[in-house]
Amino acid sequence: MLQNTGSLAGRTLFVTGASRGIGRAIALKAARDGANVVVAAKTAEAHPKLPGTIYTAAREIEEAGGKALACVVDVRDEQQIQSAVEQAVAKFGGIDILVNNASAINLTGTLGTPMKKVDLMMGVNLRGTYLTSKLCIPHLLKSSNPHILNLSPPLNLNPIWFKNHTAYTMAKYGMSMCVLGMAEEFRGQISVNALWPKTAIQTAAMAMLGGEGIERQCRKADIMADAAYAVFSRPLAGPAYTTGHFLIDEDVLREAGLSDMEVYAVEPGHPLLPDFFLDVETDGATPTSKAPPSSMTASNPIEETFGLIRTVLSQDLVQSTKGVYQFDLSGDHPGTWFVDLKQGAGLAGQGLPPLPPDVVMSMDSALFSRMFRGELKPTMAFMTGKLRIHGDMTLAIKLEKMMGAMRKSKL
């Protein structure tokens, strides 16, 4: 891992969404240098499902050697941001670094995304980043080496990154467009860059999206914290001056002299899941030590698979799922199939479902077979663009439970 050098001692970071995840990791890395950190986040009281509050993060920062200021901040609220900025300047004398980490995510298609969710993502990701930057910039301009770092992706215009979640992509790319504009506007005055992970990072959001076991294919948030630290250490002038760049965590660390990235893996040696917005050749497959059952390699594997699905349907599965799935398959075995886990003891078969589907999953029939053999999770197929999902994304995660039960009964 990247060693601390003391370069951030006495400097003040304003970090949005710093109560958990990547924001917290960046804050703690800076704290080990003796930095001042403004923990600007919404969580003031413990969440039943998510770890951390602004106060627990502040305590950890001070235990690590830094100074902390916990501020309740919803980045959609201008008054809350302004108040936090004023408190930071009064307590620490200024602001040297802004980390725009706060973000909202909803991975649904156009017809399946309520405008409330669209407004949330636009408000937090795009507007929140722009507004927080606007209010911090007057103070950043007084710093000897000011930085704005947005945790946002390169502006990859490959349509695959739009088609399944247009609203999220627009909102996230809005953060990246702030980098383009502000870097040029404040060139030579503030370093403005974006940082994005090469692989999935172990966070609460990833756990919700990927389901049980996803952490094995992730890296720890420490890799983003170390990369951010390396960026903050770059000067405002000279050949190392960097602004307007879309940086990838692993590339930053290799440039800083690190070669061993396995130290950041949650499970060293396990294949890693590429993150969104990066065109990486992968199918997201997870190795398996067991060969697929012979019945799943029959001449019509889809019919055979649905035969196995029927064997695991139960009232308990219906109660824990409460959803109707429709599968639109193409390729060698095209057709429409369904699994009704909303009524009775469940039902599965060919054709349209008896009730309107809660989620429609479109894919190649070979991909469908691979998913049910356990070689590929639905969420991972979706992330790599091989699976299109219209409707409730959480049902894709619940589907993995049925797949696991089916394989357990058969293998």
Side-chain angles (χ1 to χ4, degrees):
M1 291 188 176
L2 191 68
Q3 297 300 309
N4 281 63
T5 62
S7 62
L8 298 185
R11 301 186 70 196
T12 299
L13 289 76
F14 191 105
V15 185
T16 66
S19 60
R20 63 179 65 95
I22 295 172
R24 170 181 167 274
I26 291 174
L28 289 175
K29 180 71 175 180
R32 296 183 190 107
D33 262 8
N36 310 314
V37 183
V38 182
V39 182
K42 291 194 328 180
T43 308
E45 297 181 0
H47 189 282
K49 295 183 179 179
L50 299 174
T53 69
I54 58 174
Y55 303 112
T56 59
R59 184 169 60 251
E60 289 176 310
I61 288 166
E62 294 186 343
E63 290 172 351
K67 296 180 180 178
L69 173 64
C71 296
V72 176
V73 173
D74 182 336
V75 294
R76 295 170 294 175
D77 189 319
E78 184 172 358
Q79 290 186 340
Q80 288 187 4
I81 302 171
Q82 184 64 58
S83 175
V85 168
E86 291 172 356
Q87 290 179 61
V89 173
K91 184 176 178 69
F92 300 126
I95 297 173
D96 300 291
I97 296 168
L98 167 63
V99 180
N100 285 306
N101 166 69
S103 187
I105 184 170
N106 195 69
L107 300 176
T108 49
T110 302
L111 299 180
T113 309
M115 287 310 299
K116 182 178 180 180
K117 294 290 188 180
V118 176
D119 292 342
L120 173 65
M121 289 187 285
M122 295 296 181
V124 173
N125 302 0
L126 193 162
R127 185 179 183 275
T129 295
Y130 183 91
L131 177 57
T132 307
S133 301
K134 176 182 172 69
L135 296 178
C136 286
I137 283 172
H139 304 284
L140 291 168
L141 289 170
K142 299 175 184 178
S143 172
S144 61
N145 187 17
H147 287 262
I148 296 176
L149 187 68
N150 294 353
L151 300 194
S152 62
L155 289 167
N156 185 346
L157 297 184
N158 185 336
I160 195 173
W161 300 117
F162 289 83
K163 67 176 186 177
N164 291 326
H165 39 74
T166 299
Y168 173 66
T169 298
M170 290 193 302
K172 206 66 187 174
Y173 279 14
M175 297 176 70
S176 300
M177 293 174 75
C178 285
V179 171
L180 279 183
M182 292 178 190
E184 196 61 33
E185 183 177 0
F186 298 102
R187 182 172 292 275
Q189 298 175 285
I190 303 174
S191 298
V192 185
N193 296 286
L195 180 64
W196 193 246
K198 183 174 182 179
T199 71
I201 301 296
Q202 182 188 29
T203 62
M206 181 54 65
M208 288 189 292
L209 290 172
E212 185 178 355
I214 188 68
E215 70 279 355
R216 300 174 65 207
Q217 303 188 54
C218 295
R219 283 174 172 163
K220 303 169 189 175
D222 293 334
I223 190 170
M224 288 290 283
D226 281 3
Y229 183 88
V231 174
F232 300 150
S233 300
R234 296 180 180 183
L236 189 60
Y241 174 55
T242 305
T243 196
H245 289 213
F246 295 92
L247 306 167
I248 303 301
D249 57 355
E250 183 174 316
D251 296 342
V252 171
L253 293 176
R254 291 191 185 282
E255 186 177 339
L258 293 187
S259 58
D260 181 13
M261 299 298 152
E262 281 293 286
V263 295
Y264 296 108
V266 173
E267 185 175 314
H270 198 283
L272 297 169
L273 178 66
D275 207 352
F276 284 98
F277 308 116
L278 302 179
D279 292 336
V280 180
E281 286 298 321
T282 178
D283 60 4
T286 301
T288 176
S289 59
K290 296 183 179 180
S294 59
S295 61
M296 285 192 178
T297 58
S299 58
N300 192 334
I302 306 303
E303 288 184 1
E304 296 291 338
T305 298
F306 270 85
L308 292 176
I309 290 174
R310 294 186 189 98
T311 67
V312 300
L313 296 180
S314 67
Q315 289 185 343
D316 288 343
L317 191 59
V318 169
Q319 288 300 316
S320 63
T321 307
K322 291 294 184 183
V324 177
Y325 298 84
Q326 178 176 316
F327 302 95
D328 290 340
L329 305 182
S330 56
D332 293 339
H333 302 283
T336 297
W337 298 76
F338 73 89
V339 176
D340 179 355
L341 294 176
K342 208 169 191 175
Q343 55 182 345
L347 188 66
Q350 189 168 14
L352 294 173
L355 297 175
D358 296 295
V359 60
V360 178
M361 306 173 77
S362 304
M363 72 197 87
D364 188 276
S365 56
L367 179 67
F368 179 87
S369 296
R370 288 188 59 204
M371 288 196 327
F372 276 85
R373 286 199 300 266
E375 297 175 9
L376 186 64
K377 289 188 176 183
T379 45
M380 295 172 194
F382 174 77
M383 285 175 166
T384 54
K386 298 178 181 295
L387 166 65
R388 297 183 63 183
I389 299 177
H390 297 282
D392 189 348
M393 180 67 184
T394 60
L395 287 176
I397 299 171
K398 291 182 178 181
L399 182 64
E400 293 172 6
K401 181 178 180 180
M402 180 180 69
M403 294 176 177
M406 185 186 75
R407 291 192 298 272
K408 185 178 180 180
S409 70
K410 191 66 181 177
L411 297 179

